[in-house]
Amino acid sequence: MGKKYKHFETAVIHEGYASEDMFGSLAPPIFQTSTFAFESAEQGERRFKGEESGYIYSRLGNPTVRILEKRIATLEGGEKGLAFASGMAAVSAVLFALTKANDHILCSVGLYGCTFGLLTMMKEKYHITHDFSPMRTKEEVRSLIRPETACIYIETPINPTMQLIDLQMVSEVAKEYDIPVVVDNTFSTPYLQRPLELGCDVVIHSATKYIGGHGDVIAGLVVGKNDFIDTVAMTTQKDIGGIISPFQAWLLLRGLKTLPVRMDRHCNQAEKIAEKLIHHPSVTAVYYPNDAIQQKQMRHGGAMISFEVLGNKHTAQSLLNQLKLIKIAVSLGDTETLIEHPATMTHAIVPEKERLKMGITDQMIRLSVGLEAWQDIWSDLKQALDHVQAEAQSVITKS
């Protein structure tokens, strides 16, 4: 885990903060300030030249934010971290930093809808093209790498199909061509999966999800090597300005302290729900990470499940509308169990042809398993699934 703390569960609480430096305050202070005063004009000049460390302006750095950045870097096994105002601010800053006009990005098959939208915009405005690959073998990866390929961008598990990519395998190919590998690690968190330790170069999180954990903050995080993070900080973050506020950083620090405890429960509950879904007659397919790749690079399969139901889009929406406890919402990683319809919600921006290639059907539903009693979660799902089954039987009878 690191030189200072050997175990994740300790580092997640203590890394990057010394209470003795802050009047003994057990909780990190919130430095709610826009700017910082210099002792002299000369000091201001030195700091702007980079000749002296210290704070200048909260868009360029803030003490509360720095604690968060140090902590996430340690948890991911990286050299340095950088915090952003949202997950998409983090994604866009990284991709803009890695690419220039006419470059190419190789992506995993299936991406978050807004990431797909960003790639589409980059293609239209800057002629930065992209290809999708299942990345099942080294040959598949090699076959789509071009001279202008600037980076490989991966989600694993993929949102929302839960397909897995062998990160070590892809990293080995990328190193042959000196191409950086970027991984969106939102679904797994560093507690379940650490891509940098598998040879990848940059990790991105929508910290809104499991890292925050309570549905009350929007944020993004990036971890990588010092040089790359410094470049992003002084270019795409500084000049585009997608910075996190000190209070949002403080909320993430608070959420991180319970990440291992929450993730263990999230995952244990998801395994039970996935098993129940497999055996319900209204469910035609269940997607939950549980294969050789998962066992190789993940501590658990995670807390996200996707499944398909009998019928069509109407059937899927009808199921959602029958739920009483589970909330229809497009986020994930909250204490509450959340459910959504990817084809019309998170991935609505993806054209139907591309969406179907990704494996996102009209019958697919995505479930973020929360921290309620799993029996209550299943009871709510079951009554909704039973309704779908009765509705389908009615259609068959009438026909």
Side-chain angles (χ1 to χ4, degrees):
M1 176 48 58
K3 294 180 180 178
K4 191 172 183 182
Y5 304 110
K6 293 183 179 179
H7 299 286
F8 188 98
E9 293 82 356
T10 304
V12 81
I13 295 172
H14 294 284
E15 179 62 42
Y17 178 65
S19 59
E20 57 269 27
D21 296 338
M22 295 295 168
F23 309 102
S25 175
L26 188 62
I30 303 171
F31 286 86
Q32 194 67 41
T33 181
S34 58
T35 195
F36 298 84
F38 305 127
E39 294 177 359
S40 67
E42 290 78 11
Q43 184 185 60
E45 179 183 13
R46 290 193 299 273
R47 289 191 181 178
F48 269 92
K49 284 183 175 180
E51 297 173 352
E52 177 184 306
S53 62
Y55 296 99
I56 296 171
Y57 187 64
S58 277
R59 178 159 55 84
L60 309 178
N62 176 281
T64 309
V65 175
R66 283 286 182 267
I67 298 167
L68 172 64
E69 292 170 340
K70 289 178 181 177
R71 192 163 297 178
I72 193 63
T74 294
L75 298 178
E76 281 287 3
E79 292 180 0
K80 200 167 188 178
L82 199 58
F84 292 82
S86 70
M88 283 310 303
V91 172
S92 58
V94 167
L95 290 182
F96 282 132
L98 288 172
T99 59
K100 63 183 184 304
N102 302 310
D103 274 350
H104 170 255
I105 302 171
L106 180 57
C107 304
S108 54
V109 174
L111 293 172
Y112 172 50
C114 289
T115 304
F116 181 90
L118 174 66
L119 290 171
T120 302
M121 181 179 70
M122 293 171 72
K123 181 179 180 180
E124 293 171 349
K125 288 182 175 289
Y126 312 114
H127 306 290
I128 298 171
T129 58
H130 58 270
D131 282 307
F132 295 105
S133 170
M135 301 185 185
R136 290 172 296 219
T137 65
K138 289 186 175 182
E139 289 69 29
E140 279 186 339
V141 179
R142 290 191 188 104
S143 69
L144 289 173
I145 291 177
R146 308 178 190 173
E148 66 270 23
T149 300
C151 67
I152 297 175
Y153 186 94
I154 297 172
E155 284 184 12
T156 182
I158 295 173
N159 182 8
T161 60
M162 306 302 149
Q163 296 174 32
L164 300 182
I165 305 293
D166 186 332
L167 295 177
Q168 185 176 4
M169 180 270 290
V170 174
S171 296
E172 288 172 357
V173 175
K175 283 177 172 53
E176 296 173 9
Y177 299 85
D178 197 26
I179 297 171
V181 178
V182 181
V183 179
D184 182 335
N185 202 30
T186 298
F187 275 25
S188 296
T189 80
Y191 183 63
L192 301 185
Q193 175 176 269
R194 284 188 282 279
L196 301 181
E197 295 178 358
L198 297 168
C200 301
D201 301 281
V202 183
V203 172
I204 296 174
H205 290 280
S206 172
T208 308
K209 314 306 193 291
Y210 292 106
I211 288 175
H214 294 77
D216 53 11
V217 58
I218 300 288
L221 296 167
V222 175
V223 179
K225 292 183 177 172
N226 285 318
D227 289 348
F228 176 73
I229 295 299
D230 286 343
T231 297
V232 174
M234 296 311 296
T235 55
T236 50
Q237 187 188 57
K238 175 178 72 71
D239 297 331
I240 296 175
I243 62 155
I244 192 172
S245 75
F247 181 61
Q248 303 300 83
W250 184 85
L251 285 173
L252 293 182
L253 286 166
R254 185 177 66 166
L256 267 173
K257 290 182 178 183
T258 59
L259 180 66
V261 178
R262 288 187 287 107
M263 291 308 296
D264 280 341
R265 182 172 172 87
H266 277 302
C267 294
N268 290 336
Q269 304 226 119
E271 290 174 4
K272 293 182 174 68
I273 298 298
E275 184 65 25
K276 291 287 187 180
L277 285 168
I278 288 169
H279 295 100
H280 196 283
S282 292
V283 177
T284 59
V286 176
Y287 306 100
Y288 181 74
N290 183 22
D291 61 12
I293 297 176
Q294 180 268 313
Q295 293 166 19
K296 174 183 176 182
Q297 67 189 30
M298 297 175 69
R299 186 193 297 249
H300 295 292
M304 300 298 298
I305 305 169
S306 286
F307 60 97
E308 296 185 31
V309 293
L310 292 167
N312 50 29
K313 180 179 79 172
H314 169 76
T315 309
Q317 291 178 329
S318 177
L319 183 147
L320 266 60
N321 292 336
Q322 291 297 315
L323 294 166
K324 312 299 181 187
L325 171 70
I326 298 169
K327 306 299 183 186
I328 304 173
V330 295
S331 193
L332 56 107
D334 292 354
T335 56
E336 297 86 354
T337 297
L338 307 177
I339 199 165
E340 63 109 5
H341 185 240
T344 59
M345 296 180 185
T346 52
H347 291 72
I349 192 174
V350 182
E352 183 179 17
K353 184 178 179 181
E354 293 295 328
R355 175 169 57 78
L356 292 175
K357 284 182 182 178
M358 292 178 182
I360 305 170
T361 67
D362 285 345
Q363 298 96 294
M364 177 176 280
I365 292 168
R366 192 189 75 182
L367 181 72
S368 170
V369 179
L371 301 182
E372 307 96 338
W374 74 266
Q375 296 91 336
D376 290 334
I377 299 170
W378 173 243
S379 178
D380 196 27
L381 274 173
K382 184 177 183 305
Q383 62 84 20
L385 287 164
D386 289 346
H387 175 83
V388 167
Q389 185 181 8
E391 194 176 68
Q393 187 61 45
S394 175
V395 171
I396 293 170
T397 303
K398 288 178 182 178
S399 62

